[in-house]
Amino acid sequence: MELFAEQKRCLDCLVSSIEQLGGRVDIPKLEQIAELIIQTMRGPWRYFHTSEHIFEVGGSVDPIEVLAALFHDLVYVQVDQGVSFNISSALCPFVKEVRSQLVIRDETELPDDAMYQLVASVFGFIPGKTLSPFAGQNEFLSAVIAAKCLEPFLPASTIAEITACIEATIPFRPLSPSGLSAIELLYQRLVSANRDFNLGWSYAEIVEIVKRAVRLANRDVENFASRNSSNFLDNTWNLMPETNHELTNVNSYTVAGYRRSLQKMEGFLNFLKPELVFQQFMQEPDDETYANLIARTRKNIEVAKLYLGVKLITIAILEALSYRLGRDIPLSTMMGELRTPGFKTSVLEDYLPNRQSAYPLDSQLQREVLDLLEIGRNQESRYDIKNSPVSTFIIKSIGFAETENFLKKAQEFFADPTSSEEFLSYCAPDVIETISSGVMKLFDSRKTALGKVKFVHQTVS
């Protein structure tokens, strides 16, 4: 029922937008496109880049933004572990696989296809180019599919405007060697495409096309500037299983698997510059709005970095302890299974003391992170609880001042797992003793539970 509702919503967006743009509507063919989009967006590893995301990004005001959003995440190689079978046939004439990388076909191999040439011109991609997942591969391939799907219904100039919106969603791009932003380079390519393909735009129209692309691109990443850092972390937790598929195996992913997902996200946020998240072109958005977006992004990234740092310290302790049992130990073995309604199980937090903070909090940042650990993010995720009781116990015991040095030691341990006992010896003895004792009590509770099963069986016999 949910699938049908999403396909109906997608179809309504397609029909309404094409009608507003004066295009030709063919319901049976548009139904096929809606099914293609929603089936792809409902892939097994889509947690954040879902059909709900494309509806949110597109909004409901501008039909070109709506159409661009429907297609902009259709290809996501890292998440889907390749290109969906349903859409691969549309891309094969233009792209091939060479040594596990996607490459645009050579000029002699490419068909004489006006829509493809238009998309390539807007992106500035040339024959023979090796595509990178981190430099527009997904957006380019999504735009090619959008152009081919919409070709029967809309003129080339409109498809070029949709393509510009999709191109602008390539994230986190630094200034070019010539000092131009990604959006300024897009403007230049649109000027060239207007000339080369006789699109008929005026200078003012090209400016408005780029401004629209900026609006869509900024809406695509608007969660970075959430006014509530908990909302930002909720989205972060939805992103992690998309590229760490082990997390989708609830209650069976390993301690090391969970740690690797935290490491990837923490490393990404340490690399990311807030100024690269949002875009601006000719006062879209205006300077004050843009500055506020950057400021809120900077604050959210700082919260997330400290939060993830504490989580990494926590998982380092649990991973080091797990090595006393073996390798590739499930996290649920060390912490207990995620609780489900109607089924009572013991978890590690049941055996940890409710400790008061041993060290004063020095900043609003520390207060906010402690609240996020103790009270939790806004939402539970499918693979994790929203609060962090073990992390709360640790940070109340060691204080935030120790996190930087502690995290360095944890990273050294991650690089050399044989140093697990050395890492544990660095930690505060009472913290390690309390956590290891809690794990043993968790094991005892399981032993007791098994004993009850045996007793009941004997009584029935």
Side-chain angles (χ1 to χ4, degrees):
M1 188 66 182
E2 185 181 351
L3 173 63
F4 176 80
E6 289 182 357
Q7 289 181 183
K8 175 67 166 58
R9 184 178 179 185
C10 184
L11 176 63
D12 290 344
C13 288
L14 288 166
V15 171
S16 174
S17 298
I18 291 171
E19 285 179 342
Q20 289 179 63
L21 293 167
R24 186 178 70 86
V25 170
D26 183 329
I27 296 297
K29 289 184 178 178
L30 291 175
E31 284 178 337
Q32 293 175 357
I33 295 172
E35 181 180 2
L36 174 74
I37 292 171
I38 297 303
Q39 290 282 4
T40 303
M41 300 307 295
R42 288 174 64 90
W45 296 300
R46 299 276 186 139
Y47 276 64
F48 178 82
H49 296 96
T50 61
S51 52
E52 187 58 37
H53 174 68
I54 61 177
F55 295 135
E56 290 174 356
V57 171
S60 59
V61 176
D62 188 307
I64 288 176
E65 293 180 29
V66 171
L67 290 173
L70 291 179
F71 288 94
H72 84 287
D73 277 335
L74 204 58
V75 176
Y76 214 132
V77 173
Q78 307 95 297
V79 173
D80 298 327
Q81 289 192 329
V83 178
S84 167
F85 181 81
N86 290 337
I87 59 180
S88 59
S89 60
L91 297 173
C92 284
F94 312 108
V95 181
K96 61 185 177 181
E97 186 174 334
V98 179
R99 292 187 291 276
S100 300
Q101 289 184 293
L102 296 180
V103 179
I104 296 176
R105 292 185 180 275
D106 295 332
E107 196 162 3
T108 56
E109 298 177 279
L110 285 169
D112 184 14
D113 189 289
M115 282 299 103
Y116 170 79
Q117 292 168 3
L118 179 59
V119 171
S121 176
V122 172
F123 275 75
F125 286 5
I126 60 175
K129 176 181 174 62
T130 298
L131 299 175
S132 166
F134 309 106
Q137 169 185 272
N138 298 323
E139 293 79 7
F140 173 67
L141 298 179
S142 297
V144 170
I145 295 172
K148 296 306 294 177
C149 284
L150 297 174
E151 184 179 12
F153 313 109
L154 294 168
S157 60
T158 303
I159 290 174
E161 294 182 56
I162 293 167
T163 300
C165 285
I166 297 175
E167 196 282 343
T169 64
I170 302 173
F172 317 132
R173 290 177 284 181
L175 295 179
S176 70
S178 61
L180 295 177
S181 69
I183 210 69
E184 289 168 331
L185 292 172
L186 174 61
Y187 167 77
Q188 290 186 349
R189 291 196 299 274
L190 288 172
V191 170
S192 299
N194 184 44
R195 179 192 65 236
D196 297 341
F197 293 88
N198 299 312
L199 299 175
W201 297 327
S202 67
Y203 163 78
E205 286 173 327
I206 296 175
V207 169
E208 289 306 311
I209 289 167
V210 178
K211 286 185 175 182
R212 179 198 290 120
V214 167
R215 286 196 297 272
L216 182 92
N218 286 349
R219 201 180 301 129
D220 191 29
V221 292
E222 65 183 0
N223 71 91
F224 277 88
S226 296
R227 297 179 186 278
N228 185 329
S229 56
S230 184
N231 292 334
F232 175 62
L233 283 171
D234 283 335
N235 285 316
T236 301
W237 247 246
N238 283 333
L239 280 168
M240 287 200 296
E242 289 198 334
T243 52
N244 299 274
H245 295 162
E246 184 179 352
L247 296 181
T248 61
N249 300 316
V250 177
N251 287 325
S252 64
Y253 56 81
T254 64
V255 181
Y258 184 75
R259 180 258 297 169
R260 285 190 292 269
S261 69
L262 293 178
Q263 269 188 299
K264 285 183 186 179
M265 187 57 68
E266 195 253 358
F268 164 68
L269 290 175
N270 272 295
F271 163 81
L272 182 62
K273 294 180 174 61
E275 295 79 11
L276 299 182
V277 177
F278 290 93
Q279 304 186 63
Q280 184 185 37
F281 183 79
M282 291 191 180
Q283 288 297 296
E284 176 60 54
D286 62 67
D287 288 342
E288 182 180 358
T289 301
Y290 182 71
N292 286 335
L293 289 171
I294 300 302
R296 291 201 298 270
T297 299
R298 179 174 287 106
K299 184 252 186 182
N300 283 332
I301 290 175
E302 287 303 312
V303 169
K305 282 160 55 176
L306 183 55
Y307 178 87
L308 285 163
V310 176
K311 298 278 282 186
L312 276 170
I313 290 168
T314 303
I315 203 67
I317 292 173
L318 290 169
E319 185 172 359
L321 288 171
S322 76
Y323 282 178
R324 294 175 175 176
L325 303 176
R327 296 295 183 265
D328 296 327
I329 301 298
L331 184 58
S332 60
T333 298
M334 303 298 293
M335 295 189 66
E337 292 189 353
L338 295 176
R339 283 174 167 161
T340 55
F343 192 74
K344 172 68 174 174
T345 57
S346 295
V347 292
L348 177 56
E349 67 180 280
D350 295 339
Y351 307 105
L352 298 179
N354 185 13
R355 179 168 292 181
Q356 297 298 310
S357 292
Y359 301 89
L361 301 176
D362 296 335
S363 65
Q364 179 58 36
L365 173 63
Q366 292 179 1
R367 293 185 188 91
E368 187 164 350
V369 170
L370 181 58
D371 282 345
L372 285 165
L373 294 168
E374 189 167 20
I375 300 170
R377 305 181 303 275
N378 287 337
Q379 300 174 1
E380 303 278 4
S381 70
R382 280 184 267 179
Y383 65 94
D384 201 4
I385 59 175
K386 66 180 182 178
N387 63 325
S388 307
V390 183
S391 294
T392 300
F393 165 75
I394 291 171
I395 205 63
K396 283 185 174 182
S397 301
I398 68 172
F400 281 100
E402 270 295 300
T403 55
E404 187 174 348
N405 289 332
F406 215 142
L407 187 55
K408 286 179 182 177
K409 292 291 184 182
Q411 299 287 10
E412 292 172 5
F413 158 56
F414 298 149
D416 178 17
T418 62
S419 65
S420 59
E421 291 301 322
E422 181 182 343
F423 169 70
L424 289 173
S425 69
Y426 173 81
C427 306
D430 67 311
V431 171
I432 301 303
E433 171 59 30
T434 302
I435 293 175
S436 59
S437 174
V439 174
M440 286 187 284
K441 290 175 181 176
L442 178 62
F443 291 169
D444 286 341
S445 73
R446 290 164 171 161
K447 180 180 176 181
T448 301
L450 283 171
K452 288 180 180 178
V453 171
K454 180 180 178 182
F455 177 76
V456 171
H457 176 73
Q458 289 175 338
T459 302
V460 172
S461 298

